[in-house]
Amino acid sequence: MASDFHLERPDLLTRDDIGMGERLDPTRAPASREFDLPGVRGGMGPTAPRTQVDADFLLATLDWIESDTSAPRTVEVAAERVGMSPFHFHRRFAELMGETFGAYVRRTRLAHAASLICRSSTSIIEASLRSGYASQAAFTRAFARQFAMAPNRLRARAQAEAPKPGRLHVDLVEQAAPVRQGALPLIGMRFHGPMSQIPFHWQRFAEALQAAGLPLEAMTAVGILYDDPGFTAPGQIRYDCTVVDTHTTFPPLRAPLRRLSTREATFVRLNVDGPYHLIPEAVFGVCALWLPRNRRALGEAPAYEMYRAPPWSANGRFQVSLLVPCTP
């Protein structure tokens, strides 16, 4: 990873990092202890990205980067795709995201690789290929620059020091089952920030939908969580608030809204009902219990939150069908 990131040992996630700011019962193994596996998390860049992404060129670029985490992504091609010169694109990207295009691509891909390596049985070679590195040696060097240790050391450390799942996680994954989910057309907004802010992102998203003339009635909400908070600094966590797009005749959308879609893939599906902090608990339960029990590894898609009730009117309690990507 680029050297313009400082390295830091990850502190345990606080309530403000992952939950609703509520008092958590330590006997129920809160995500502040369980979800942040030991290791070294890449630090923030010189500045954090803006909380809300509201530039069309940037939204198009982020979607392109995330469409295939193993494909080459260069600043020249990125600039050409949005009709900008490489110099102007480079400057604007860094201004809005707090890091250069190249640093962003490397950081997000290496964080994804760390999650694959430490959360499931994915081999280091496979993780390097899925992160766009044709050479394992180059991957190991970049990984060590980002996390201050080689991939095999981070995996060993995580396996040795990871807390055991508790009764809460057993209960959460009891009814989990694999499903095949097709692609869904969506209308969404991109946010950055701690997971504790996600309920507030939904409020802002609902306001943006109404301002664009899109009615909230009968909307099906879908949250998209791209990052593992154990390996991504809180201010850099990517999250999309979206709704299923049933307005195909609606005029072209402008930032901060844009059209996107879910990925067709295999997932572990489980229901979560309660405060938002139960969602990262459920993801941890899937990684710690369901995946090894069923001899699966983490998949390539993001995690999806399929809301069974509108999250912008949840009043602190969310009804979600959670989809965690897994191998077939």
Side-chain angles (χ1 to χ4, degrees):
M1 188 59 73
S3 59
D4 55 350
F5 289 96
H6 70 274
L7 300 172
E8 64 179 10
R9 177 179 175 81
D11 296 325
L12 295 178
L13 288 175
T14 65
R15 285 176 296 186
D16 203 38
D17 289 320
I18 54 93
M20 297 290 296
E22 300 171 343
R23 183 177 182 81
L24 301 182
D25 181 358
T27 65
R28 299 181 66 217
S32 57
R33 295 179 55 218
E34 303 290 358
F35 198 61
D36 197 10
L37 290 181
V40 178
R41 179 171 59 205
M44 297 284 288
T47 59
R50 298 184 181 182
T51 300
Q52 178 180 309
V53 179
D54 53 9
D56 287 311
F57 91 92
L58 187 54
L59 289 169
T61 299
L62 298 180
D63 287 341
W64 176 63
I65 292 171
E66 293 154 6
S67 65
D68 188 344
T69 56
S70 64
R73 295 292 186 253
T74 66
V75 68
E76 291 79 13
V77 174
E80 183 179 5
R81 292 182 76 256
V82 295
M84 298 170 67
S85 71
F87 175 81
H88 183 55
F89 174 88
H90 178 87
R91 182 175 62 81
R92 287 288 290 153
F93 188 98
E95 176 187 345
L96 296 175
M97 294 298 293
E99 59 188 320
T100 66
F101 176 86
Y104 176 87
V105 172
R106 287 190 296 272
R107 176 181 61 77
T108 54
R109 290 188 174 189
L110 288 172
H112 177 58
S115 185
L116 292 174
I117 291 167
C118 293
R119 306 289 191 195
S120 72
S121 59
T122 305
S123 70
I124 293 173
I125 292 176
E126 182 181 352
S128 68
L129 293 174
R130 288 167 63 175
S131 304
Y133 287 84
S135 162
Q136 187 176 351
F139 171 74
T140 299
R141 287 194 299 270
F143 194 98
R145 285 197 298 269
Q146 174 66 7
F147 297 108
M149 64 184 72
N152 59 340
R153 284 189 57 203
L154 184 58
R155 167 172 273 169
R157 183 173 176 180
Q159 291 174 342
E161 301 181 24
K164 302 298 182 183
R167 184 72 230 177
L168 170 63
H169 308 105
V170 174
D171 292 342
L172 283 169
V173 303
E174 184 178 5
Q175 302 298 324
V179 297
R180 186 72 183 177
Q181 175 70 42
L184 289 173
L186 305 172
I187 294 173
M189 284 176 64
R190 168 60 56 89
F191 294 94
H192 297 103
M195 295 183 74
S196 61
Q197 296 301 305
I198 288 174
F200 303 104
H201 297 339
W202 282 109
Q203 299 296 325
R204 295 172 66 178
F205 178 55
E207 293 170 359
L209 289 176
Q210 291 179 312
L214 291 167
L216 296 181
E217 295 78 12
M219 286 280 195
T220 300
V222 179
I224 308 178
L225 184 58
Y226 295 88
D227 296 302
D228 184 330
F231 304 105
T232 300
Q236 292 173 325
I237 290 176
R238 299 167 292 171
Y239 187 85
D240 280 332
C241 293
T242 77
V243 292
V244 177
D245 183 5
T246 58
H247 299 269
T248 55
T249 61
F250 196 78
L253 299 172
R254 301 189 56 160
L257 298 174
R258 94 276 193 198
R259 284 189 164 89
L260 65 161
S261 66
T262 61
R263 296 190 201 177
E264 181 177 355
T266 301
F267 298 88
V268 184
R269 178 172 180 161
L270 63 160
N271 289 335
V272 179
D273 298 316
Y276 188 84
H277 68 75
L278 290 181
I279 292 177
E281 300 281 9
V283 176
F284 174 81
V286 168
C287 294
L289 295 171
W290 195 93
L291 291 179
R293 181 190 306 157
N294 291 274
R295 298 183 180 181
R296 307 281 185 108
L298 279 174
E300 201 60 37
Y304 296 115
E305 303 161 356
M306 315 296 286
Y307 284 88
R308 305 191 307 276
W312 44 80
S313 55
N315 294 320
R317 298 193 66 83
F318 297 84
Q319 299 177 44
V320 179
S321 292
L322 178 64
L323 300 178
V324 180
C326 68
T327 52

